[in-house]
Amino acid sequence: MHDIKKNATSTRNWWKQPFRMVQTNLRQPDALYDQHALAREARELGATALLYNIGGIFAFYPTKLELQAVNPLMKGDALGKAVEAAHAEGLALVGRFDMSKATKLAYDAHPEWFVHNRAGKALEYNGTYQACVNGGWYQDYAFRIIEEALGRYEVDGVFFNMFGYTNFNYSGEYFGICVCDACKRRFRAMYDRDLPAKEDFSDPAYADYLEFQDRTARELQGRIYDHIHEVARSVAMTGHRGKCDLIRMEVQRGVSRPQPEWPHQAGEQARWARAYAPDKNASATSANFVDFAWRFHSETAACHTLRMAQQLANGMTLDLYLLGVIEQDDNRPMAGVKELFHWHAGVEDEYRGLTSGAKIALYHSLKSARYTRRKSGGGRADHIASLLSAGATPMRGYFRALLEDRLAFDFVCDEAVEGKAAGPSGIDALSGYEALVLPSILCLSDEEAAILDAYVESGGVLVVTGETGFFDARGESRFRSALASMPVNGVPKEHANMKGAYFRVSAEELPLPDSRLVMLDGRFWEADLKPGTETLMQLLPPQRFGPPELCFPDEESELPGVVIAPYGKGRVVWLPWQPELQYYRDSLPSHRTIMTDVIKRHISAPEVIVEGKGAIEVTVQRQPQGSSLIHVVNYAGQRNNLYEDPPELHGLKVGILGASGETVRLLRSGKTVSLSAPDPDGRRWAELPAIGDFEAIVAGSAT
Ligand SMILES: [Zn+2]
């Protein structure tokens, strides 16, 4: 054991700071790489934490546990040297375990610990075997590996790869669920039935199986967390949902992912992490490679920067993921990443203790993501959804509308609302938000709905679309909305195909002054409205669209496109269609105007307005002393999945309510610009110099 104690204090609590991590996923030969050079290169890159292999599949230290294979190419003790080298450079060392697989050594000794499908086949890939969550490798041997490694090495954190259930291999081939004795036994004990025969809601056991996977994986994670803190109290464990000290996710792409590109993955993950556990630091490592099959072809620096700008703008810190060591065959993005890391090192104090300043939250529902498919049951196709790529979700459609309208917004997640997340529970998860948007959030639990009703009753604005709340927590139909605040009686009648339909609009109703109609596609719901509702727009039912001589409507209708109803001190706005799916597909500004106006008209003016042309994201965060940290992220270099250096944006103006002082500080350009006197709305304006990849604006608070 090397004497590393003298440096260890500098890296203690590394994970409570705005850190910069570099993850090196080491291959067997990388154990021979000079550990001191690696640590020095990480520090020169600007990192504060280095992620380095410990063990699991292959130990990067001389293990005494006979079923854990030792890296056959290692000489001496790679991990020991890496810990010493990292601490000598002032870096925290985070150890990477991969307990999801083991070699033939363990498999031959205990085949029953590993995943087996109905054909009795093990999930083998390149000589490694997938471990079953309920088997002895995960449930017992992993604990011994952790104890040995953390007892011997003073690492500062641990990360676990691919925790949980897998039924695909790295090549994406489907394998089926594990039906080992441990799975069978545990599933029967928990649900009193056999494992599902297929992974499909047509199998009556499938809904239980989804819950089973979640509960057992979460339970194992909790046990591992407790074990780590018994053996090494100050070691931080990264994780996602459930027990962990900090949240760590991954932003990556795959070449076979359906188009169009979703360029907001980083900001989406950052919003989720803050919603799930606002008290935890979080990062999502930016994978340097374009796909698993091509681990050594790098993304561009502009791609990493756009991801990292979204993360900084939404409360995450910085994290880069390389396969192999820092020196890559395709080294092109590294200069750009280094520049960003070094810039962040100089301003990191500005990123401490941030909270969100957003007034709008978009609802993120794990249960809807999991159980919405139950409704279609493989039966009726959803006309508009079938036109969309697999990556499209209602949430992402509304996400784009809010972002492209330059509104600052957060996520609220269902688990946090119900108090099942790792953050503040119950109505606390909703406090501070003037409006919540639930885009086709089908599945609500009774408890969740009651909390949302209480939110509206106390003055909140709930904007819901489509069939929100007409299904229970496991995707079964309800006879009425879960929400008492919903202004409809019973279940609305669905009109399944609105191809050729429109809404009539008027300038008095909505800020669409030069248009008298807006297209409608997909589904529309007709409801028995409760008394006292206000409505906007009227449905023009589907009409003939050919030949041209016959393209005129035979009938109009009184059915509304927007229903607004007071409830307590707040109100519910129901759009009985799915503008979010249409916006995702068609990007029509009229739809965006409707989607954002029904929010904006009911809440206070945004704290920050950015005027001028350009594709930007605007976010607002609060520093502990009350000043605002405003990010303007430049997307002009992104076209579908092409990420190039963005052209500079000129002529942007930022207007801030409640800003004090005479100037604002621009952290990215290092400039200071003056603030105007307040305009009649009390808003003070600053002319922004040219914006490159992004800008971070610090504005003092009047309070
Ligand atoms: Zn199993």
Side-chain angles (χ1 to χ4, degrees):
M1 184 64 201
H2 309 271
D3 178 22
I4 43 127
K5 288 208 167 69
K6 64 181 188 295
N7 292 304
T9 47
S10 63
T11 56
R12 191 145 291 176
N13 291 334
W14 64 274
W15 47 280
K16 293 179 179 170
Q17 323 294 324
F19 61 79
R20 292 171 296 282
M21 191 181 303
V22 58
Q23 168 169 357
T24 56
N25 262 20
L26 300 176
R27 304 158 292 176
Q28 290 177 345
D30 293 327
L32 301 173
Y33 194 83
D34 179 345
Q35 315 303 332
H36 288 278
L38 179 67
R40 191 181 63 245
E41 286 156 12
R43 181 181 51 74
E44 285 169 358
L45 182 68
T48 59
L50 173 66
L51 203 148
Y52 193 92
N53 289 30
I54 296 188
I57 308 176
F58 294 104
F60 274 58
Y61 66 96
T63 179
K64 294 197 173 78
L65 294 167
E66 39 193 50
L67 299 185
Q68 181 182 212
V70 178
N71 174 356
L73 300 186
M74 181 176 70
K75 292 191 171 67
D77 180 358
L79 175 61
K81 282 190 201 146
V83 172
E84 182 195 63
H87 288 167
E89 295 289 345
L91 302 173
L93 188 129
V94 179
R96 176 182 183 274
F97 286 111
D98 193 339
M99 307 296 190
S100 69
K101 295 172 195 65
T103 63
K104 207 166 181 315
L105 261 183
Y107 182 77
D108 284 348
H110 286 283
E112 76 280 9
W113 288 356
F114 295 87
V115 167
H116 286 87
N117 68 7
R118 286 197 184 276
K121 232 179 118 216
L123 181 43
E124 184 267 346
Y125 196 76
N126 286 339
T128 63
Y129 297 80
Q130 187 73 30
C132 175
V133 166
N134 303 305
W137 177 260
Y138 253 132
Q139 293 283 339
D140 176 47
Y141 212 79
F143 288 70
R144 296 173 60 188
I145 294 173
I146 290 166
E147 199 164 321
E148 179 186 66
L150 299 192
R152 232 194 272 178
Y153 301 95
E154 295 207 22
V155 302
D156 305 287
V158 290
F159 159 77
F160 290 89
N161 186 48
M162 291 179 80
F163 207 95
Y165 289 80
T166 299
N167 41 25
F168 287 88
N169 65 17
Y170 274 110
S171 299
E173 289 151 354
Y174 179 68
F175 182 81
I177 69 166
C178 181
V179 295
C180 76
D181 287 345
C183 281
K184 280 183 192 156
R185 213 170 34 239
R186 243 184 137 182
F187 190 72
R188 168 144 305 273
M190 286 165 69
Y191 297 97
D192 198 24
R193 67 197 317 172
D194 289 333
L195 288 164
K198 48 185 177 170
E199 285 192 90
D200 186 322
F201 284 110
S202 64
D203 191 309
Y206 181 57
D208 286 339
Y209 185 69
L210 290 178
E211 192 183 272
F212 170 78
Q213 286 182 312
D214 197 49
R215 281 174 61 186
T216 52
R218 235 26 75 222
E219 190 220 64
L220 174 64
Q221 180 195 357
R223 282 184 54 220
I224 287 182
Y225 178 88
D226 293 342
H227 184 65
I228 284 170
H229 289 83
E230 275 164 29
V231 249
R233 226 157 36 89
S234 62
V235 170
M237 177 172 141
T238 74
H240 181 228
R241 293 168 54 236
K243 275 189 170 178
C244 61
D245 296 300
L246 68 157
I247 290 179
R248 190 160 183 275
M249 301 165 77
E250 181 178 325
V251 185
Q252 24 81 330
R253 65 162 149 171
V255 295
S256 56
R257 212 167 279 171
Q259 301 288 326
E261 173 83 347
W262 175 247
H264 307 296
Q265 194 185 28
E268 184 180 345
Q269 292 186 2
R271 284 175 174 88
W272 179 86
R274 173 178 262 161
Y276 186 81
D279 52 337
K280 283 182 186 166
N281 205 352
S283 72
T285 196
S286 181
N288 187 48
F289 45 82
V290 296
D291 195 304
F292 284 126
W294 297 276
R295 299 254 205 186
F296 304 101
H297 191 110
S298 300
E299 296 283 6
T300 61
C303 176
H304 286 300
T305 304
L306 182 59
R307 290 170 176 175
M308 291 178 184
Q310 292 174 46
Q311 292 166 339
L312 292 173
N314 290 287
M316 266 187 171
T317 193
L318 301 181
D319 204 320
L320 175 72
Y321 166 19
L322 302 166
L323 205 290
V325 294
I326 292 171
E327 178 65 28
Q328 297 273 306
D329 284 329
D330 181 356
N331 237 347
R332 292 169 306 149
M334 297 308 282
V337 171
K338 183 174 179 178
E339 184 279 325
L340 185 66
F341 272 28
H342 280 251
W343 168 81
H344 183 256
V347 298
E348 64 183 24
D349 286 346
E350 305 281 358
Y351 286 91
R352 288 180 198 277
L354 298 177
T355 52
S356 174
K359 297 174 180 178
I360 301 168
L362 185 55
Y363 211 77
H364 186 282
S365 168
L366 179 75
K367 61 176 82 68
S368 286
R370 192 174 282 163
Y371 294 110
T372 288
R373 279 180 302 128
R374 184 172 201 170
K375 184 203 164 202
S376 48
R380 188 199 58 203
D382 179 337
H383 166 62
I384 194 165
S386 69
L387 300 175
L388 292 166
S389 75
T393 63
M395 193 275 290
R396 285 183 168 181
Y398 233 113
F399 187 113
R400 271 193 55 210
L402 295 171
L403 185 142
E404 287 160 12
D405 208 45
R406 302 180 177 178
L407 293 168
F409 68 99
D410 291 337
F411 279 1
V412 155
C413 40
D414 56 346
E415 291 175 282
V417 169
E418 292 172 317
K420 290 173 184 160
S425 62
I427 202 155
D428 285 346
L430 308 179
S431 73
Y433 298 116
E434 296 183 26
L436 294 185
V437 183
L438 279 70
S440 302
I441 302 295
L442 270 55
C443 307
L444 293 178
S445 71
D446 293 345
E447 179 194 4
E448 187 182 6
I451 292 168
L452 293 172
D453 282 332
Y455 166 80
V456 183
E457 203 159 9
S458 64
V461 176
L462 206 60
V463 175
V464 308
T465 72
E467 295 175 285
T468 292
F470 283 97
F471 297 83
D472 71 11
R474 299 261 299 240
E476 302 272 22
S477 299
R478 292 176 178 274
F479 297 108
R480 64 181 75 82
S481 173
L483 296 163
S485 55
M486 186 75 174
V488 302
N489 295 313
V491 177
K493 178 183 168 198
E494 178 184 306
H495 298 272
N497 189 348
M498 286 288 117
K499 193 170 188 176
Y502 299 87
F503 288 116
R504 280 248 179 263
V505 293
S506 73
E508 291 77 52
E509 291 180 319
L510 284 157
L512 294 166
D514 297 317
S515 174
R516 290 191 295 276
L517 54 78
V518 172
M519 76 173 264
L520 168 66
D521 197 2
R523 291 182 286 161
F524 176 83
W525 286 269
E526 179 180 350
D528 174 19
L529 299 180
K530 290 178 183 169
T533 56
E534 178 196 347
T535 64
L536 307 174
M537 307 200 295
Q538 282 134 37
L539 176 73
L540 262 170
Q543 53 182 272
R544 294 176 297 263
F545 42 89
E549 292 83 348
L550 296 177
C551 293
F552 57 88
D554 291 326
E555 49 165 359
E556 304 237 344
S557 88
E558 297 289 309
L559 297 174
V562 180
V563 178
I564 303 167
Y567 186 80
K569 292 182 192 156
R571 46 172 70 78
V572 172
V573 179
W574 179 43
L575 288 80
W577 48 299
Q578 295 181 292
E580 69 279 2
L581 287 183
Q582 283 189 76
Y583 188 68
Y584 189 99
R585 187 189 67 181
D586 307 328
S587 307
L588 295 177
S590 297
H591 288 142
R592 186 172 86 206
T593 298
I594 295 165
M595 292 161 76
T596 56
D597 181 74
V598 296
I599 304 168
K600 287 190 278 191
R601 65 167 62 200
H602 294 124
I603 65 174
S604 64
E607 178 186 334
V608 174
I609 293 175
V610 179
E611 288 187 348
K613 288 180 183 166
I616 56 169
E617 173 176 358
V618 178
T619 70
V620 183
Q621 299 181 85
R622 201 79 61 223
Q623 295 178 320
Q625 64 276 24
S627 42
S628 297
L629 179 61
I630 300 156
H631 281 79
V632 178
V633 180
N634 182 356
Y635 280 76
Q638 178 254 331
R639 275 138 19 245
N640 196 29
N641 51 8
L642 171 64
Y643 295 88
E644 294 185 310
D645 290 337
E648 286 185 337
L649 297 177
H650 294 269
L652 294 181
K653 280 169 59 180
V654 60
I656 308 165
L657 281 179
S660 68
E662 296 312 307
T663 56
V664 292
R665 289 185 293 125
L666 310 182
L667 302 179
R668 189 70 175 129
S669 61
K671 293 177 178 158
T672 299
V673 293
S674 54
L675 276 172
S676 71
D679 70 9
D681 296 329
R683 198 177 290 279
R684 301 181 68 191
W685 292 86
E687 315 253 349
L688 296 175
I691 291 183
D693 43 24
F694 66 97
E695 190 53 272
I697 305 160
V698 180
S701 150
T703 51

